Amino acid sequence: MTYPLRDRLALGAALVGPLAVTGVLAPFRTHIAASNLALILVVAVVAVSALGNRVAGALAGVSAAVWFDFFLTRPYQTFSIGAGDDLTAAVLLLLVGLAVSQLAARARTLKVVTITDAAHLAALHDTARLAQAGSPDAVVEGVRRQLVAVLGLRGCRFEYGTLLGRPARLRQDGSVTVDGRQRDVEKEGWPDGEIELRASAAGRYVGRFMMEPTPGSRPSLQARVVAVTLADHAGAALDTEPRMIES
């Protein structure tokens, strides 16, 4: 699996960050209680979790517990703990680090979902307003631009006329099929080549958007359903046009 740059940086910070923090704290280990040192390391875990994903946060929690044991508990520079309180602090550091990493990653996901929902709603609103006031061709062009933005496409064009060939197809329920077989876009990404998204009105096809995906992109089901709705706006705008075709 290939992680985005932000997540790769977070994974690196998960490995190096707790080690660096414990190195800074080591000179003070005889003057500060182990529980307080553990709390400082929790802050480092939270920082990594906020930057990256769950994997990075969990790795930071494990790394913090390991280096806390090695540098900050007696006997020093060994992976053993002599005092019961230090052992308790190490275990709690691990558990709290893992829990905080999950919470921080969840908060990041919810933020992304909120922003995405707002963007999708804006796209639908803008297209509906254009459909009321604009010409059919203007609606088609507006939808084409929105599809590029919503799905992160490399390119997109609209075809009037007969539906030729059997390209991969984005269907009404947001699924994608290739030669009749459904593809898991969120895991496998878009299929190769152009993808067809038909525009229809009252069950009649009036044309199709031919979408050129960006390699490696994995649009969510929500984004794909929004794309289908946008295409339906174009179909409704073209329903009275003489270029209408039958499937």
Side-chain angles (χ1 to χ4, degrees), residues 13-110:
L15 292 172
V16 178
L19 174 59
V21 172
T22 52
V24 171
L25 294 176
F28 308 99
R29 61 194 175 191
T30 59
H31 307 290
I32 302 176
S35 58
N36 291 332
L37 295 173
L39 288 175
I40 296 174
L41 282 171
V42 168
V43 175
V45 174
V46 172
V48 172
S49 300
L51 173 65
N53 54 21
R54 286 182 173 85
V55 175
L59 182 59
V62 173
S63 177
V66 168
W67 296 122
F68 172 78
D69 176 10
F70 189 81
F71 284 108
L72 304 179
T73 64
R74 297 178 186 274
Y76 299 128
Q77 297 182 9
T78 65
F79 290 108
S80 61
I81 299 178
D85 289 345
D86 289 348
L87 176 60
T88 300
V91 172
L92 289 176
L93 173 59
L94 175 60
L95 295 178
V96 171
L98 293 174
V100 168
S101 73
Q102 300 303 304
L103 292 174
R106 178 62 176 169
R108 176 186 170 190
T109 300
L110 289 175

Side-chain angles (χ1 to χ4, degrees), residues 167-230:
R169 180 179 172 189
L170 174 56
R171 295 184 174 274
Q172 287 296 115
D173 60 357
S175 65
V176 174
T177 56
V178 182
D179 294 329
R181 295 188 298 273
Q182 187 165 318
R183 181 181 179 90
D184 190 338
V185 175
E186 294 186 25
K187 289 185 178 180
E188 303 176 71
W190 287 117
D192 295 332
E194 289 187 313
I195 300 163
E196 172 189 86
L197 172 57
R198 297 182 181 182
S200 61
R204 296 173 295 184
Y205 299 115
V206 296
R208 62 182 179 180
F209 292 92
M210 298 301 294
M211 304 181 296
E212 182 183 358
T214 300
S217 63
R218 295 176 171 83
S220 66
L221 175 60
Q222 180 189 49
R224 300 195 305 270
V225 170
V226 169
V228 170
T229 304
L230 291 170

